[in-house]
Each structure stands twice: as structure tokens, then as C-alpha cells.
Amino acid sequence: MSFPPDSARQTSVTLEQVSLRFDRGVEALHDLNLRVGDGEFLSVVGPSGCGKSTMLRLVAGLLRPTSGSVHIGGDTKLAGRQTRRDISFVFQQPTLLPWRSVEKNVRLPLELRGRVGDEGRRRVAEVIDLVGLRDFARFYPAQLSGGMQMRVSLARALVTRPSLLILDEPFAALDDITRQRLNEELLALWGRDRFTAIFVTHNVSEAVFLSQRVVVMSARPGRVLAEVPVPFSFPRNAELRAEPDFARLTGDVSRTLRESFR
Amino acid sequence: MNPLLHRALALFLPPLVLFALVVIAWNGAVVYWELPPYLVPTPVAVLNVAKENRAALWSGALLTGKAALLGLLASLVVGILIAFVFSQSRLIQRAGYPYAIFLQTVPIVAIAPLIILWFGHGFQSIVIISFIVSLFPIITNTTTGLTTLDPNMVELFEVNNATRLQRLLKLQLPGAVPYIVAGARISSGLSVIGVIVGEFFAGFGGNKFGLGYLIYFANATLKTSYLFAAVISSTLLGLAMFALITGIGNLLTLRWRGTR
Ligand SMILES: Nc1ncnc2c1ncn2[C@@H]1O[C@H](COP(=O)(O)OP(=O)(O)O)[C@@H](O)[C@H]1O
Ligand SMILES: [Mg+2]
């Protein structure tokens, strides 16, 4: 069996007039409209508590909107069980099972799908290789640095060849150098597989470096305040961060973000 | 110095020094206040009695230890099953919890005679009493372990469309292991106490006597030195149980604690 056939790679995300009110009356999102193209790399920035994680959970089908609709891959249904198989989620914490080795943590999504045959094993080895952890496959999470743990988390997300990768401040807890290196690695992985990526971050420079478009959200209840296209061509490398255009765009986004704090 | 030896010394030296001090103070008190031996015997007298009766004390400790291990094992099996049922629904947990607490608050000396009435004067009744006093920490710890879940981990399983069974086997049960180990450590001491209480009431299993019966017998016949020897033996047995369970637990949770 092959991992999702190429015909399945049509996921794009559409949120229309999405509002979400939690049980205790907190309105996290209000009339949010957002469209993410096939294979697009989109970053989302916004004040803390503005509903970024909530929006990601809606897209992943972990929450349902109070009103409005969430479409995945042109599908008119809400994000549900079936489409979820094609989505991977990377959290701020590595969220690894401490009693499982790197290899077995990465294998988990395949196990849960009942797909650990020879091909599954090959795929596990391949993604571990891709994130540069070949020599650490048998290590346990506690034996790895924070950056390495996050690489394991990325490998686990990629093992199923998702067409949509959702990342919720994945590198926020890492030091700057490690964060930048992981940015470059993530971009290389994206260039290779061209999954759709929605990347939430607090770090404007990171958002600009990674994505084709940056969405700035308003303070709670969250909605889209501004969309900033990022024109730099791919592949991008570390030198981009030193370019004047990069600094100017980062400044623009930062200014918009400051306004969003009101 | 050899680091292993160093660690062993650091672990055992302080309690041994304390023990020596207590023995010296005890001896001093007996001599100073001229306490009669039937009230407080000297350490030397206790040691002599222990030596004379070492066969009985040893076989008593073995019998009591065996009953405690069986009681603890039974409480692990049943406690984990009950915790598993509790973890399946809040309603079930709310319904069952008061009865689990009952296990902890009921005075075991009050129900021990009842157990013996139902299950006879023998080994099985003693194991059942030990089982009852060991059960509560296993239930509460395991329930906590099964229901204390990292919300992100739960979402990870949900995004991957995991079934309830998959979540239980791959997330909840392994996650509960350190909690079960902690519960078993608490219960290891309780299980010995349970057996001793049981033996007070039903100490004759054929012609073999556990430490609890020896304590009862020594007390009833005012053999105070023997009583001291039996009490100290049962304390050592409790320590040994605790050490055994802690050792097994440490081995089981090596990975959970971040070393191989
Ligand atoms: N399960 C929940 N129940 C109630 N309120 C919640 C819940 N999850 C998040 N919130 C609230 O919704 C708002 C948005 O949260 P979140 O999406 O986590 O923000 P962000 O990720 O942008 O920091 C916050 O005010 C938060 O307190
Ligand atoms: Mg968040």
C-alpha cells in the first residue's frame, strides 16, 4: 500500500464567518474568514489569547464552530474523521511519549492507522533521517535536547505524509539559534513535499522567513486584521534574514501586530 | 572512593547511626530507671531471645511475608481493574468512590473477625484482610494515573483518529505505570500490617505461625522480650517489602524517569 496517493493532495482550508464561543461564554473567534491555498505556507500572528490555537483546533476538527463553516479540501462537510486522516498537528511542546524511543514515537501515527508493515518501517526510518536524527532512533525523549525533541515531533507529524500540517508555536520554547535552524529545516521539508502549512507563532521574523503570506489576527475575539504577502522566492536560506527587504517587511508586520493589541 | 560504595554509605549510614543511638538510649533508660524486664527488656535481652527463637521468627516472617505479597498482588490486580472501570466514566467514578474510601476508613480490626467468620481460620482469610487494606492506594493512584492526561497528547490521539482502546493501551495504561508503582509502594507497608492484624485473630494455619500470631502469643503470655523481638522482626519485614517493591518499581519506570 502506498501512503496517501497524490490524488488525495488537494487539501485547502476555507473558514467562512467562523465564530466560536466556549461554554463559559468566552467568545474566542468572531466572524473569521480565512482561505489557505493548496500547498501554501501560511503563518498566523496575533496577540496571545486572541484565538490562534482555537482556530487551529477548528481546522483540525478538534472543535466545532458555534456558527460559520470550516471546509477542508473543497469538501463542503465540516472537518471530520475522514479528512482528519490527512492532517498532522505539531504542538508547542514536543508531546512525546516518554516510554517510547524516538523510532516508536515517530511510528505512533502509523500504528494508530494500523499501517506498520515493511513500508511503514521504511517511512519511519526515512523521516527520522530527514530531521537529522538517524543516530538517535533508539534514544528516549529524556535523552534528547529540546531542539531534538521538536525534530522528533516534526518527524512524527510527517510520517503519514499529511497534505495539511498545522503547527502551533512549535519552536517557541527553543533558543534562537535552534529555532532558526529548525525554520530552515522545516522550509526544506516543505519544499520537498509541498504540504499545506498553517504556522502559528509569536515571532514575526520567523513568520516572514517561513511563509508566503502572514495573517495578523486581532485581539480576542479573533478575526483577521491584515494579510501581508511575503514575496521572497524559494528556496530561502539563512542569508535572507540579513536582507533589507526582509527587515522592512518584518517591520511592517510588527507594526500591524502592535496595532492589533489596541 | 568507589562511587557505588559511597552511595551505599550515604544511604545506609545515617539510619544505622540513628539506630545505634536509639539502642544506646533504650539501654540507658532501662538501667537508669531500673525498669522491670516484663515492661521493657534491655536490647541485649531482646537480642538473646531473638537468637533463641530465630527459627520461629524466620519462618514466621516468611509466612507473614508470603501472605502480604499475595495480598498486595491481589490488591494490584483488583485495584487496577477497579481503577480502569472508574476511569471509563465520571458517573461510575462518583458512584463507586465513596465505597473505595470506605476501604480506607473502615477499622480493619473491626472487620477482621468478620472476614475470619466468612472465610475460616486460615491463610486465605489473612490474605483477604491484607488485600483489603492494600486496595485503596492502588485504586486511587491508578485512577489518577489513568485520568491525568496531557491535553495535547489526547489531541494528538484524536487527530490520528485513535479508538478508545488504542488510547487506553498506548497512552493511558503506560502513562499510569509510575502512579501504579507509587500506589504499590504505599500498599507494600499496609499489606504487612494487614497480615499482622489478620494473624492476631486467625494466626493458626496448620502448625505454622506468622509474626502477628507470635506478637499476640508473646503479649498474652507476658514474654516481653519475645514481643519486642517479634515486633522488630515485623518492622524489618515491612522494610524489606517496601525495598522490594521500590526496587521492582524503579526498574519498571526507568524510561518514564528518563534513563535507559
Ligand atoms: N476550552 C476552553 N474553554 C474556555 N475558554 C477557552 C478554552 N480554550 C481557550 N479558551 C479561551 O479562548 C481564548 C483564545 O484562546 P487560544 O485560542 O488558546 O488563544 P491563543 O492561542 O491565540 O493564545 C482565550 O481567552 C482562552 O482563555
Ligand atoms: Mg495558543
Side-chain angles (χ1 to χ4, degrees), chain A residues 179-242:
Chain A
R179 173 201 285 255
Q180 291 185 0
R181 187 167 316 140
L182 278 167
N183 281 172
E184 288 146 32
E185 288 176 19
L186 174 62
L187 216 45
L189 291 167
W190 175 75
R192 196 174 174 279
D193 288 351
R194 284 293 167 143
F195 41 82
T196 306
I198 307 180
F199 189 101
V200 164
T201 176
H202 273 121
N203 186 310
V204 173
S205 155
E206 176 177 62
V208 171
F209 181 78
L210 286 172
S211 49
Q212 299 171 296
R213 190 161 53 111
V214 179
V215 162
V216 182
M217 281 174 71
S218 71
R220 194 171 62 80
R223 63 202 158 70
V224 175
L225 201 69
E227 298 192 13
V228 184
V230 182
F232 310 122
S233 64
F234 293 92
R236 298 175 182 172
N237 52 40
E239 279 83 68
L240 174 62
R241 295 195 188 91

Side-chain angles (χ1 to χ4, degrees), chain A residues 11 44 47 58 99 134 147 156 176 182 192 198:
Chain A
T11 304
V44 180
L58 278 166
W99 56 87
R134 192 201 303 203
R156 180 184 57 197
D176 240 31
L182 278 167
R192 196 174 174 279
I198 307 180

Side-chain angles (χ1 to χ4, degrees), chain A residues 22 24 26 28 47-54 220:
Chain A
F22 283 109
R24 268 168 286 166
V26 177
S48 138
C50 78
K52 301 181 296 294
S53 298
T54 303
R220 194 171 62 80

